[in-house]
Amino acid sequence: MSGADTIGFAGLSHLGIVSSLAAAARGFSVVAFDERSSLVEGLCEGRFPISEPALEETFHRHGERIRYTAAADSLAACRLIFITLDVPTDNNNTSNLEPLRALVEKVAASAQPDAVVVVMSQVPPGFCRQLAGRLRPGLGLFYQVETLIFGNAIERAIRPERYMVGSSDVQDGLPALYRRFLDAFECPVLVMRYESAELCKIAINCFLVASVSTTNMLAEICEQIHADWADIVPALRLDRRIGQYAYLSPGLGIAGGNLERDLATVEKLAAEHGTDARIVTAWKENSSYRKEWVQRLLLDRGLLNGGPDSRVAVWGIAYKAETHSTKNSPALALIRALREYRLRIYDPAVTLNKDDFPQVQVCASAVDAAEAADAVVVMTPWKQFRDVSLAATKQKMRGRAIVDPFGALDAATCRHLGFDYYRLGV
């Protein structure tokens, strides 16, 4: 691709920041637009509103190829423009698509006659074909399935497994400029009609949820019959029908927002077209049940016998490690469920609004959070928790229970120090 071809990105939320940096890391000149001037000023100085491994490092190595701007007309010189605005969801996991539509129409209005606009934001089936009918003739509109994974977004964006691209007419192929850009990432490119690509992301997430739900169900059975789920996982990974990359780690339901949104979309499509999606309803109910695992354990095992005077240290608030997001976080669900108890919390990337959680005390470290605690609960498996001094933690605590659903701590060390140690699937 020639140096004259600058790649545009519109919408600098999580997806846009990561995608534009990945393009720069692959050697492209980039114009990255967002109408929020304060955000743009921060990005120009290397201050990011998101947390991702290798984010700052990638910016320092390749940031000179990116020009962040709050001026929409800066995209006019770009012949390939990606729409990368995160689509927010409400408490019912329904997407608000209006800001996305407005952004696409704003970008398209000033784009070059032969420009290619690629929507990367997650949308429901039918969105792009409807959108294409509202844009001026001659403008190429494509849909590229985003594969953003919080906590591993930079690595995945720079070295993707594959690209899935939706087109109004597959027989037309991809414009040369767009094809050259995709080829620079050296991965398979699957081209399909709009509706197939829009459903493709949802299909991937449904299979992921099926794996998550099955793993959680069987891990709970292990806890009751004295089996260990960790013994079973190697056998599953050696089965080619399941495979070495299958999601087989027990967890506390599904979280983060995207999976829930896709399940809600499938239920809506099934209701509209008269198909059966009751399995999706079961997955959602199972997820809600799994989120209560820690709460049930604390109460059923008598770990909070002190009643309202009981104290719980919560390590981790983010819904997963290496991210700042708390969308549908199991930790927040636990905090709300334990509102009558005294909670001390610590997360290396997340803090809480004290007005929303008056019973919570935010602490400066994991060990500090364990002060006089009857139980320590590790709700986010941050890697740095493995380096926390468990001996110092024990000295701080009043009780001796450690609830570590994901196995973030060294179980043998916990037991050697005299802790009552609890993990999912055992």
mmCIF file of all heavy atoms in Angstrom, residues 297-336:
data_model
loop_
_atom_site.group_PDB
_atom_site.id
_atom_site.type_symbol
_atom_site.label_atom_id
_atom_site.label_comp_id
_atom_site.label_asym_id
_atom_site.label_seq_id
_atom_site.Cartn_x
_atom_site.Cartn_y
_atom_site.Cartn_z
ATOM 1 N N LEU A 297 -21.430 -20.202 48.705
ATOM 2 C CA LEU A 297 -20.377 -20.860 49.455
ATOM 3 C C LEU A 297 -20.121 -20.155 50.789
ATOM 4 O O LEU A 297 -20.002 -20.792 51.836
ATOM 5 C CB LEU A 297 -19.093 -20.910 48.619
ATOM 6 C CG LEU A 297 -17.930 -21.719 49.198
ATOM 7 C CD1 LEU A 297 -17.154 -22.397 48.088
ATOM 8 C CD2 LEU A 297 -16.980 -20.838 50.013
ATOM 9 N N LEU A 298 -20.043 -18.838 50.752
ATOM 10 C CA LEU A 298 -19.795 -18.080 51.976
ATOM 11 C C LEU A 298 -20.869 -18.344 53.025
ATOM 12 O O LEU A 298 -20.573 -18.502 54.218
ATOM 13 C CB LEU A 298 -19.730 -16.575 51.663
ATOM 14 C CG LEU A 298 -18.512 -16.084 50.883
ATOM 15 C CD1 LEU A 298 -18.697 -14.613 50.499
ATOM 16 C CD2 LEU A 298 -17.232 -16.258 51.688
ATOM 17 N N LEU A 299 -22.108 -18.419 52.588
ATOM 18 C CA LEU A 299 -23.213 -18.584 53.527
ATOM 19 C C LEU A 299 -23.422 -20.048 53.908
ATOM 20 O O LEU A 299 -23.626 -20.373 55.086
ATOM 21 C CB LEU A 299 -24.490 -17.993 52.925
ATOM 22 C CG LEU A 299 -24.427 -16.483 52.613
ATOM 23 C CD1 LEU A 299 -25.723 -16.018 51.972
ATOM 24 C CD2 LEU A 299 -24.121 -15.678 53.864
ATOM 25 N N ASP A 300 -23.340 -20.947 52.921
ATOM 26 C CA ASP A 300 -23.603 -22.357 53.202
ATOM 27 C C ASP A 300 -22.507 -22.994 54.053
ATOM 28 O O ASP A 300 -22.785 -23.926 54.828
ATOM 29 C CB ASP A 300 -23.760 -23.140 51.894
ATOM 30 C CG ASP A 300 -25.004 -22.741 51.111
ATOM 31 O OD1 ASP A 300 -25.844 -22.023 51.690
ATOM 32 O OD2 ASP A 300 -25.121 -23.145 49.942
ATOM 33 N N ARG A 301 -21.272 -22.525 53.896
ATOM 34 C CA ARG A 301 -20.168 -23.078 54.679
ATOM 35 C C ARG A 301 -19.986 -22.364 56.017
ATOM 36 O O ARG A 301 -19.034 -22.648 56.747
ATOM 37 C CB ARG A 301 -18.871 -23.005 53.873
ATOM 38 C CG ARG A 301 -18.877 -23.764 52.557
ATOM 39 C CD ARG A 301 -18.962 -25.273 52.757
ATOM 40 N NE ARG A 301 -19.006 -25.985 51.492
ATOM 41 C CZ ARG A 301 -17.944 -26.489 50.877
ATOM 42 N NH1 ARG A 301 -16.733 -26.352 51.418
ATOM 43 N NH2 ARG A 301 -18.064 -27.119 49.728
ATOM 44 N N GLY A 302 -20.861 -21.415 56.316
ATOM 45 C CA GLY A 302 -20.777 -20.719 57.589
ATOM 46 C C GLY A 302 -19.574 -19.822 57.725
ATOM 47 O O GLY A 302 -19.073 -19.597 58.836
ATOM 48 N N LEU A 303 -19.072 -19.298 56.616
ATOM 49 C CA LEU A 303 -17.876 -18.461 56.661
ATOM 50 C C LEU A 303 -18.178 -17.051 57.140
ATOM 51 O O LEU A 303 -17.256 -16.289 57.433
ATOM 52 C CB LEU A 303 -17.228 -18.417 55.274
ATOM 53 C CG LEU A 303 -16.859 -19.779 54.660
ATOM 54 C CD1 LEU A 303 -16.191 -19.590 53.309
ATOM 55 C CD2 LEU A 303 -15.960 -20.571 55.607
ATOM 56 N N LEU A 304 -19.465 -16.702 57.209
ATOM 57 C CA LEU A 304 -19.858 -15.365 57.667
ATOM 58 C C LEU A 304 -20.791 -15.489 58.870
ATOM 59 O O LEU A 304 -21.836 -14.849 58.937
ATOM 60 C CB LEU A 304 -20.539 -14.594 56.523
ATOM 61 C CG LEU A 304 -19.706 -14.392 55.254
ATOM 62 C CD1 LEU A 304 -20.497 -13.592 54.223
ATOM 63 C CD2 LEU A 304 -18.387 -13.701 55.561
ATOM 64 N N ASN A 305 -20.381 -16.286 59.826
ATOM 65 C CA ASN A 305 -21.225 -16.527 60.995
ATOM 66 C C ASN A 305 -21.379 -15.306 61.881
ATOM 67 O O ASN A 305 -22.248 -15.270 62.748
ATOM 68 C CB ASN A 305 -20.664 -17.696 61.818
ATOM 69 C CG ASN A 305 -21.039 -19.042 61.220
ATOM 70 O OD1 ASN A 305 -21.980 -19.125 60.439
ATOM 71 N ND2 ASN A 305 -20.296 -20.079 61.564
ATOM 72 N N GLY A 306 -20.531 -14.315 61.664
ATOM 73 C CA GLY A 306 -20.612 -13.117 62.487
ATOM 74 C C GLY A 306 -21.749 -12.196 62.118
ATOM 75 O O GLY A 306 -21.887 -11.113 62.701
ATOM 76 N N GLY A 307 -22.553 -12.594 61.138
ATOM 77 C CA GLY A 307 -23.671 -11.741 60.719
ATOM 78 C C GLY A 307 -23.180 -10.438 60.132
ATOM 79 O O GLY A 307 -22.136 -10.391 59.470
ATOM 80 N N PRO A 308 -23.899 -9.351 60.363
ATOM 81 C CA PRO A 308 -23.519 -8.054 59.787
ATOM 82 C C PRO A 308 -22.115 -7.585 60.175
ATOM 83 O O PRO A 308 -21.522 -6.763 59.495
ATOM 84 C CB PRO A 308 -24.587 -7.095 60.334
ATOM 85 C CG PRO A 308 -25.762 -7.976 60.610
ATOM 86 C CD PRO A 308 -25.176 -9.279 61.085
ATOM 87 N N ASP A 309 -21.570 -8.130 61.271
ATOM 88 C CA ASP A 309 -20.226 -7.748 61.682
ATOM 89 C C ASP A 309 -19.147 -8.493 60.897
ATOM 90 O O ASP A 309 -17.973 -8.184 61.003
ATOM 91 C CB ASP A 309 -20.045 -8.006 63.182
ATOM 92 C CG ASP A 309 -18.726 -7.446 63.696
ATOM 93 O OD1 ASP A 309 -18.447 -6.257 63.436
ATOM 94 O OD2 ASP A 309 -17.964 -8.205 64.335
ATOM 95 N N SER A 310 -19.569 -9.491 60.104
ATOM 96 C CA SER A 310 -18.604 -10.243 59.306
ATOM 97 C C SER A 310 -17.950 -9.326 58.279
ATOM 98 O O SER A 310 -18.581 -8.409 57.736
ATOM 99 C CB SER A 310 -19.291 -11.411 58.593
ATOM 100 O OG SER A 310 -19.822 -12.326 59.518
ATOM 101 N N ARG A 311 -16.691 -9.609 58.003
ATOM 102 C CA ARG A 311 -15.943 -8.788 57.039
ATOM 103 C C ARG A 311 -15.423 -9.659 55.908
ATOM 104 O O ARG A 311 -14.918 -10.764 56.143
ATOM 105 C CB ARG A 311 -14.766 -8.086 57.727
ATOM 106 C CG ARG A 311 -15.197 -7.126 58.832
ATOM 107 C CD ARG A 311 -14.020 -6.324 59.340
ATOM 108 N NE ARG A 311 -14.412 -5.422 60.413
ATOM 109 C CZ ARG A 311 -13.623 -4.487 60.934
ATOM 110 N NH1 ARG A 311 -12.399 -4.335 60.473
ATOM 111 N NH2 ARG A 311 -14.059 -3.716 61.909
ATOM 112 N N VAL A 312 -15.552 -9.142 54.718
ATOM 113 C CA VAL A 312 -15.099 -9.860 53.528
ATOM 114 C C VAL A 312 -14.147 -8.966 52.747
ATOM 115 O O VAL A 312 -14.454 -7.796 52.483
ATOM 116 C CB VAL A 312 -16.283 -10.266 52.621
ATOM 117 C CG1 VAL A 312 -15.782 -11.012 51.387
ATOM 118 C CG2 VAL A 312 -17.282 -11.112 53.391
ATOM 119 N N ALA A 313 -12.978 -9.511 52.406
ATOM 120 C CA ALA A 313 -12.042 -8.815 51.520
ATOM 121 C C ALA A 313 -12.291 -9.300 50.096
ATOM 122 O O ALA A 313 -12.277 -10.508 49.840
ATOM 123 C CB ALA A 313 -10.606 -9.101 51.927
ATOM 124 N N VAL A 314 -12.554 -8.389 49.189
ATOM 125 C CA VAL A 314 -12.794 -8.728 47.783
ATOM 126 C C VAL A 314 -11.609 -8.255 46.959
ATOM 127 O O VAL A 314 -11.344 -7.057 46.861
ATOM 128 C CB VAL A 314 -14.101 -8.077 47.272
ATOM 129 C CG1 VAL A 314 -14.325 -8.428 45.801
ATOM 130 C CG2 VAL A 314 -15.289 -8.528 48.112
ATOM 131 N N TRP A 315 -10.891 -9.208 46.392
ATOM 132 C CA TRP A 315 -9.763 -8.883 45.516
ATOM 133 C C TRP A 315 -10.239 -8.971 44.069
ATOM 134 O O TRP A 315 -10.543 -10.047 43.565
ATOM 135 C CB TRP A 315 -8.619 -9.869 45.727
ATOM 136 C CG TRP A 315 -7.930 -9.763 47.062
ATOM 137 C CD1 TRP A 315 -8.235 -8.932 48.090
ATOM 138 C CD2 TRP A 315 -6.809 -10.549 47.505
ATOM 139 N NE1 TRP A 315 -7.388 -9.126 49.140
ATOM 140 C CE2 TRP A 315 -6.497 -10.112 48.816
ATOM 141 C CE3 TRP A 315 -6.047 -11.566 46.933
ATOM 142 C CZ2 TRP A 315 -5.449 -10.663 49.556
ATOM 143 C CZ3 TRP A 315 -5.001 -12.118 47.667
ATOM 144 C CH2 TRP A 315 -4.709 -11.673 48.957
ATOM 145 N N GLY A 316 -10.320 -7.828 43.413
ATOM 146 C CA GLY A 316 -10.708 -7.802 42.007
ATOM 147 C C GLY A 316 -12.147 -7.377 41.800
ATOM 148 O O GLY A 316 -13.057 -7.957 42.390
ATOM 149 N N ILE A 317 -12.342 -6.357 40.962
ATOM 150 C CA ILE A 317 -13.675 -5.841 40.635
ATOM 151 C C ILE A 317 -13.965 -5.986 39.144
ATOM 152 O O ILE A 317 -15.093 -6.194 38.732
ATOM 153 C CB ILE A 317 -13.796 -4.351 41.034
ATOM 154 C CG1 ILE A 317 -13.461 -4.173 42.512
ATOM 155 C CG2 ILE A 317 -15.199 -3.829 40.756
ATOM 156 C CD1 ILE A 317 -14.336 -4.952 43.453
ATOM 157 N N ALA A 318 -12.937 -5.873 38.301
ATOM 158 C CA ALA A 318 -13.117 -6.009 36.849
ATOM 159 C C ALA A 318 -13.713 -7.375 36.526
ATOM 160 O O ALA A 318 -13.486 -8.360 37.240
ATOM 161 C CB ALA A 318 -11.775 -5.834 36.137
ATOM 162 N N TYR A 319 -14.453 -7.458 35.424
ATOM 163 C CA TYR A 319 -15.113 -8.724 35.106
ATOM 164 C C TYR A 319 -14.120 -9.783 34.642
ATOM 165 O O TYR A 319 -14.409 -10.984 34.668
ATOM 166 C CB TYR A 319 -16.230 -8.520 34.070
ATOM 167 C CG TYR A 319 -15.796 -8.563 32.619
ATOM 168 C CD1 TYR A 319 -15.772 -9.759 31.918
ATOM 169 C CD2 TYR A 319 -15.435 -7.399 31.939
ATOM 170 C CE1 TYR A 319 -15.384 -9.807 30.586
ATOM 171 C CE2 TYR A 319 -15.053 -7.433 30.608
ATOM 172 C CZ TYR A 319 -15.030 -8.645 29.940
ATOM 173 O OH TYR A 319 -14.641 -8.668 28.620
ATOM 174 N N LYS A 320 -12.909 -9.352 34.228
ATOM 175 C CA LYS A 320 -11.840 -10.289 33.894
ATOM 176 C C LYS A 320 -10.513 -9.570 34.082
ATOM 177 O O LYS A 320 -10.463 -8.333 34.137
ATOM 178 C CB LYS A 320 -11.974 -10.820 32.461
ATOM 179 C CG LYS A 320 -11.806 -9.759 31.388
ATOM 180 C CD LYS A 320 -12.022 -10.318 29.991
ATOM 181 C CE LYS A 320 -10.933 -11.242 29.546
ATOM 182 N NZ LYS A 320 -11.045 -11.610 28.121
ATOM 183 N N ALA A 321 -9.440 -10.332 34.183
ATOM 184 C CA ALA A 321 -8.124 -9.738 34.387
ATOM 185 C C ALA A 321 -7.669 -8.974 33.150
ATOM 186 O O ALA A 321 -8.127 -9.220 32.031
ATOM 187 C CB ALA A 321 -7.109 -10.827 34.729
ATOM 188 N N GLU A 322 -6.768 -8.036 33.372
ATOM 189 C CA GLU A 322 -6.144 -7.226 32.318
ATOM 190 C C GLU A 322 -7.129 -6.297 31.626
ATOM 191 O O GLU A 322 -6.945 -5.941 30.463
ATOM 192 C CB GLU A 322 -5.450 -8.116 31.265
ATOM 193 C CG GLU A 322 -4.485 -9.133 31.834
ATOM 194 C CD GLU A 322 -3.323 -8.506 32.589
ATOM 195 O OE1 GLU A 322 -3.049 -7.309 32.388
ATOM 196 O OE2 GLU A 322 -2.694 -9.214 33.390
ATOM 197 N N THR A 323 -8.187 -5.921 32.317
ATOM 198 C CA THR A 323 -9.100 -4.936 31.761
ATOM 199 C C THR A 323 -9.689 -4.105 32.890
ATOM 200 O O THR A 323 -9.694 -4.527 34.053
ATOM 201 C CB THR A 323 -10.243 -5.605 30.965
ATOM 202 O OG1 THR A 323 -11.101 -4.596 30.427
ATOM 203 C CG2 THR A 323 -11.060 -6.517 31.858
ATOM 204 N N HIS A 324 -10.173 -2.933 32.536
ATOM 205 C CA HIS A 324 -10.794 -2.047 33.522
ATOM 206 C C HIS A 324 -12.314 -2.175 33.517
ATOM 207 O O HIS A 324 -12.998 -1.545 34.316
ATOM 208 C CB HIS A 324 -10.425 -0.597 33.225
ATOM 209 C CG HIS A 324 -11.044 -0.091 31.953
ATOM 210 N ND1 HIS A 324 -10.705 -0.588 30.712
ATOM 211 C CD2 HIS A 324 -12.022 0.821 31.729
ATOM 212 C CE1 HIS A 324 -11.419 0.008 29.791
ATOM 213 N NE2 HIS A 324 -12.230 0.874 30.369
ATOM 214 N N SER A 325 -12.868 -2.990 32.637
ATOM 215 C CA SER A 325 -14.316 -3.051 32.469
ATOM 216 C C SER A 325 -14.982 -3.819 33.616
ATOM 217 O O SER A 325 -14.500 -4.867 34.046
ATOM 218 C CB SER A 325 -14.671 -3.725 31.143
ATOM 219 O OG SER A 325 -16.075 -3.880 31.023
ATOM 220 N N THR A 326 -16.116 -3.299 34.069
ATOM 221 C CA THR A 326 -16.906 -3.976 35.111
ATOM 222 C C THR A 326 -18.293 -4.356 34.604
ATOM 223 O O THR A 326 -19.175 -4.678 35.396
ATOM 224 C CB THR A 326 -17.053 -3.071 36.348
ATOM 225 O OG1 THR A 326 -17.732 -1.866 35.969
ATOM 226 C CG2 THR A 326 -15.698 -2.732 36.952
ATOM 227 N N LYS A 327 -18.485 -4.348 33.290
ATOM 228 C CA LYS A 327 -19.794 -4.655 32.731
ATOM 229 C C LYS A 327 -20.228 -6.063 33.142
ATOM 230 O O LYS A 327 -19.551 -7.049 32.868
ATOM 231 C CB LYS A 327 -19.742 -4.548 31.194
ATOM 232 C CG LYS A 327 -21.050 -4.834 30.490
ATOM 233 C CD LYS A 327 -22.039 -3.708 30.669
ATOM 234 C CE LYS A 327 -23.283 -3.922 29.814
ATOM 235 N NZ LYS A 327 -24.268 -2.840 29.959
ATOM 236 N N ASN A 328 -21.372 -6.171 33.819
ATOM 237 C CA ASN A 328 -21.900 -7.455 34.274
ATOM 238 C C ASN A 328 -20.886 -8.243 35.104
ATOM 239 O O ASN A 328 -20.830 -9.479 35.044
ATOM 240 C CB ASN A 328 -22.371 -8.304 33.080
ATOM 241 C CG ASN A 328 -23.587 -7.708 32.405
ATOM 242 O OD1 ASN A 328 -24.446 -7.124 33.055
ATOM 243 N ND2 ASN A 328 -23.658 -7.842 31.095
ATOM 244 N N SER A 329 -20.073 -7.541 35.872
ATOM 245 C CA SER A 329 -19.017 -8.172 36.661
ATOM 246 C C SER A 329 -19.601 -9.030 37.784
ATOM 247 O O SER A 329 -20.445 -8.564 38.557
ATOM 248 C CB SER A 329 -18.113 -7.097 37.268
ATOM 249 O OG SER A 329 -17.326 -7.621 38.308
ATOM 250 N N PRO A 330 -19.138 -10.288 37.920
ATOM 251 C CA PRO A 330 -19.565 -11.102 39.061
ATOM 252 C C PRO A 330 -19.205 -10.466 40.399
ATOM 253 O O PRO A 330 -19.903 -10.661 41.394
ATOM 254 C CB PRO A 330 -18.814 -12.423 38.846
ATOM 255 C CG PRO A 330 -18.573 -12.486 37.379
ATOM 256 C CD PRO A 330 -18.321 -11.062 36.967
ATOM 257 N N ALA A 331 -18.105 -9.708 40.430
ATOM 258 C CA ALA A 331 -17.705 -9.052 41.675
ATOM 259 C C ALA A 331 -18.754 -8.035 42.120
ATOM 260 O O ALA A 331 -19.089 -7.955 43.307
ATOM 261 C CB ALA A 331 -16.351 -8.370 41.492
ATOM 262 N N LEU A 332 -19.274 -7.262 41.186
ATOM 263 C CA LEU A 332 -20.302 -6.281 41.549
ATOM 264 C C LEU A 332 -21.579 -6.981 41.996
ATOM 265 O O LEU A 332 -22.262 -6.511 42.917
ATOM 266 C CB LEU A 332 -20.586 -5.354 40.358
ATOM 267 C CG LEU A 332 -19.453 -4.410 39.951
ATOM 268 C CD1 LEU A 332 -19.923 -3.460 38.861
ATOM 269 C CD2 LEU A 332 -18.943 -3.613 41.143
ATOM 270 N N ALA A 333 -21.901 -8.099 41.349
ATOM 271 C CA ALA A 333 -23.081 -8.859 41.778
ATOM 272 C C ALA A 333 -22.897 -9.363 43.204
ATOM 273 O O ALA A 333 -23.837 -9.329 44.018
ATOM 274 C CB ALA A 333 -23.319 -10.036 40.820
ATOM 275 N N LEU A 334 -21.683 -9.806 43.535
ATOM 276 C CA LEU A 334 -21.410 -10.276 44.888
ATOM 277 C C LEU A 334 -21.503 -9.134 45.895
ATOM 278 O O LEU A 334 -22.093 -9.288 46.971
ATOM 279 C CB LEU A 334 -20.016 -10.905 44.950
ATOM 280 C CG LEU A 334 -19.573 -11.367 46.334
ATOM 281 C CD1 LEU A 334 -20.401 -12.556 46.790
ATOM 282 C CD2 LEU A 334 -18.083 -11.704 46.339
ATOM 283 N N ILE A 335 -20.929 -7.992 45.550
ATOM 284 C CA ILE A 335 -20.954 -6.840 46.460
ATOM 285 C C ILE A 335 -22.388 -6.422 46.754
ATOM 286 O O ILE A 335 -22.745 -6.118 47.901
ATOM 287 C CB ILE A 335 -20.145 -5.680 45.858
ATOM 288 C CG1 ILE A 335 -18.651 -6.031 45.870
ATOM 289 C CG2 ILE A 335 -20.387 -4.377 46.618
ATOM 290 C CD1 ILE A 335 -17.782 -5.063 45.102
ATOM 291 N N ARG A 336 -23.227 -6.427 45.732
ATOM 292 C CA ARG A 336 -24.636 -6.068 45.945
ATOM 293 C C ARG A 336 -25.333 -7.125 46.816
ATOM 294 O O ARG A 336 -26.162 -6.796 47.659
ATOM 295 C CB ARG A 336 -25.344 -5.923 44.600
ATOM 296 C CG ARG A 336 -24.838 -4.743 43.759
ATOM 297 C CD ARG A 336 -25.674 -4.549 42.506
ATOM 298 N NE ARG A 336 -25.176 -3.440 41.703
ATOM 299 C CZ ARG A 336 -24.413 -3.591 40.619
ATOM 300 N NH1 ARG A 336 -24.075 -4.819 40.216
ATOM 301 N NH2 ARG A 336 -23.991 -2.546 39.940
#
